[in-house]
Amino acid sequence: MTRIMLSEFIKIKRKLILFLVVLGPLGVVGLQAVNFGLRYDWLTSQYKEDLWGGLIGEVTMLSVPTILIGLTILTSMIANIEHQTNAWKQLLSLPVSKMKVFAGKALLSFVLLFMACLLLVVGTIILGISLKFGANIPILYLLKMCFFPFLAAMPFLALQTWLAISMKNQAIPLTTGILGTIVSMYATGFPDWMPLKWPWLVNEWEKPIYSVLLGIVTGLGINLLSLIDFSRRDVK
């Protein structure tokens, strides 16, 4: 797996994938910088009891759809490296199991999105300090609100990875991901069992960790089924 991961990182070295990883969190923080810059007095009066909490809440509102559309594009771009060059047969002729090849793609997507969330944490801290919100940064809360939606979105990462790898025509995976992102923006009123609601960390128990656990368990289940399907598939 170490060799597979190193190989995957070499493949994306000259692609726009790493740029996208930086662009996502940079875009979220940049939009919030504009938001607070234009409405500073009003927003700070709204969040005067907890300026950092208000900023983090505003960032989260943008980060959830960004994560969903970001994982859609990332998984498609990663899988398309082999699709464009018709390299699947060559890749699978190597002395590496199909499951490890698929797992490498899935793990690469996970690592890149994890890096994006980490950049979002750093960017939010820089923005808050720039806005003079003080040095009393709620680090634990910030980490939760940046990483919990990502972990709760694991079913979509697993599904999009499977769709992107299984289909040479990337229009279907991209359309599925875009539609899912649009629907998710109205998902807070959905029943708690709906996966599209989980990244928003809203549930009747008012426990965000429940949404995260549901996302992780479901995501692992979908990923396992995807591994089995890919190992049995005759890839062309």
Side-chain angles (χ1 to χ4, degrees), residues 31-51:
L31 285 172
Q32 286 307 325
V34 173
N35 182 29
F36 274 84
L38 294 175
R39 304 192 299 164
Y40 185 83
D41 291 337
W42 186 82
L43 286 171
T44 50
S45 66
Q46 289 293 110
Y47 299 127
K48 60 184 178 181
E49 300 297 328
D50 184 6
L51 292 174

Side-chain angles (χ1 to χ4, degrees), residues 159-217:
L159 177 63
Q160 290 299 139
T161 300
W162 175 68
L163 289 174
I165 291 176
S166 301
M167 301 179 179
K168 188 171 183 178
N169 183 358
Q170 292 300 296
I172 296 174
L174 287 171
T175 301
T176 302
I178 292 168
L179 289 175
T181 302
I182 293 171
V183 174
S184 74
M185 296 173 72
Y186 306 94
T188 53
F190 288 4
D192 287 347
W193 55 266
M194 290 287 288
L196 284 169
K197 184 178 182 179
W198 299 343
W200 293 104
L201 308 178
V202 176
N203 53 61
E204 64 179 17
W205 302 283
E206 298 183 356
K207 300 282 187 180
I209 192 64
Y210 289 173
S211 298
V212 175
L213 292 174
L214 283 169
I216 292 173
V217 172

Side-chain angles (χ1 to χ4, degrees), residues 90-109:
Q90 181 183 357
L91 177 61
L92 297 176
S93 67
L94 299 173
V96 181
S97 71
K98 283 185 176 182
M99 282 193 173
K100 287 186 178 180
V101 171
F102 186 95
K105 298 286 186 185
L107 184 57
L108 177 64
S109 300

Side-chain angles (χ1 to χ4, degrees), residues 66-106:
T66 302
I67 287 170
L68 294 176
I69 196 68
L71 68 85
T72 298
I73 298 171
L74 274 179
T75 52
S76 178
M77 291 179 72
I78 290 169
N80 214 31
I81 295 173
E82 269 72 33
H83 288 313
Q84 285 182 332
T85 57
N86 294 314
W88 280 112
K89 276 196 172 182
Q90 181 183 357
L91 177 61
L92 297 176
S93 67
L94 299 173
V96 181
S97 71
K98 283 185 176 182
M99 282 193 173
K100 287 186 178 180
V101 171
F102 186 95
K105 298 286 186 185

Side-chain angles (χ1 to χ4, degrees), residues 10-37:
I10 291 171
K11 288 178 188 176
I12 68 170
K13 187 177 180 181
R14 299 182 185 279
K15 306 292 182 180
L16 291 174
I17 295 174
L18 293 177
F19 172 71
L20 181 65
V21 170
V22 176
L23 181 63
L26 184 64
V28 171
V29 173
L31 285 172
Q32 286 307 325
V34 173
N35 182 29
F36 274 84

